[in-house]
Amino acid sequence: MQTEGKLPEIRKTVTLNASIEKAWQAISTSEGIAAWWMKNTFQPVVGHEFLLHAAGFGDSPCKVTEIIPLQRVSFDWDQDWHIVFELEALEDGKILFTLIHSGWDADKLTKFGQPHSVIRGVMDGGWESIVKEHFVSYTES
């Protein structure tokens, strides 16, 4: 397996003052995901094919690859990327949320012809505010 062009995954972690049930609802339902990220046709069923409605970029095809109740949701996003949402209950009653966006390859272009190395930087900044502002605001409300 060739890994020469592999770029590091994007990883964002935040501690939440929210219940595990509220955080789970935020990552495992279409309504929850839409409230803090993007409109979608998600269903929490392994193998379910769904769309992320990425505004000006159109619809992105996705496929659910893993569901572990109250812990993890994973899906393939478009042709190259993989997304993982993880929850961990902490001893102090808080929740640790981690987002992992992998599949970056310096030798690949997005379907819009943009190099992964450029888009990874853009997405890294975007995830920063999505996770640390939008996700926190939604789950802690």
Side-chain angles (χ1 to χ4, degrees), residues 57-75:
F57 294 101
D59 290 344
S60 293
C62 300
K63 185 175 183 178
V64 178
T65 57
E66 184 179 30
I67 300 288
I68 301 174
L70 302 177
Q71 293 178 27
R72 180 193 287 248
V73 171
S74 302
F75 59 91

Side-chain angles (χ1 to χ4, degrees), residues 1-21:
M1 179 182 217
Q2 186 177 7
T3 58
E4 295 165 3
K6 188 170 182 178
L7 297 168
E9 67 191 18
I10 295 171
R11 182 178 285 262
K12 302 293 176 185
T13 302
V14 67
T15 302
L16 305 167
N17 290 308
S19 69
I20 191 82
E21 293 80 12

Side-chain angles (χ1 to χ4, degrees), residues 16-19 22-23 26 36 134-141:
L16 305 167
N17 290 308
S19 69
K22 175 76 185 242
W36 61 272
H134 302 286
F135 189 76
V136 170
S137 175
Y138 177 70
T139 55
E140 290 186 352
S141 64

Side-chain angles (χ1 to χ4, degrees), residues 108-122:
K108 289 187 176 183
L109 300 176
T110 68
K111 66 182 178 183
F112 298 104
Q114 302 157 312
H116 274 211
S117 55
V118 172
I119 297 307
R120 188 197 172 282
V122 172

Side-chain angles (χ1 to χ4, degrees), residues 5-6 12 34 50 61 76-77 94 100 110 127:
K6 188 170 182 178
K12 302 293 176 185
F50 69 99
D76 292 332
W77 179 12
K94 295 181 181 180
I100 304 164
T110 68
W127 280 125

